[in-house]
Amino acid sequence: PEYGNSFAGASSNFLSPKAGTAVYMAGAVSGITHGTVSRTGLTLNIEGTVFRKLAEADYRCDYGDSGAAIFASDTSFSR
């Protein structure tokens, strides 16, 4: 199955993606797929646990890709 608009977690470095940034996902099942960041600065509340500073992107992923690395190969980031 294919899922669009997957959420990528907050970055562990000091850079955050901008909308329109090309991103890539390296999943165990899907391999390397790509997409574009559509929104940033999102907050998600799941059963009382709040996740902040999320980015939304439209890369392809499948069951088994959870926890995959999301990365970009360009410098379209802001500090």
Side-chain angles (χ1 to χ4, degrees):
E2 184 173 321
Y3 300 94
N5 297 329
S6 299
F7 282 92
S11 176
S12 62
N13 61 27
F14 297 107
L15 304 177
S16 299
K18 295 178 184 176
T21 299
V23 292
Y24 302 85
M25 189 263 321
V29 176
S30 299
I32 296 177
T33 63
H34 61 88
T36 304
V37 174
S38 54
R39 298 188 300 167
T40 62
L42 302 172
T43 298
L44 183 62
N45 184 327
I46 300 176
E47 297 180 3
T49 301
V50 179
F51 300 89
R52 292 183 173 84
K53 298 182 181 179
L54 299 174
E56 183 178 46
D58 63 355
Y59 55 84
R60 182 182 176 278
C61 61
D62 292 310
Y63 288 107
D65 287 336
S66 297
I70 310 299
F71 56 95
S73 63
D74 65 16
T75 58
S76 299
F77 287 83
S78 61
R79 290 195 181 271

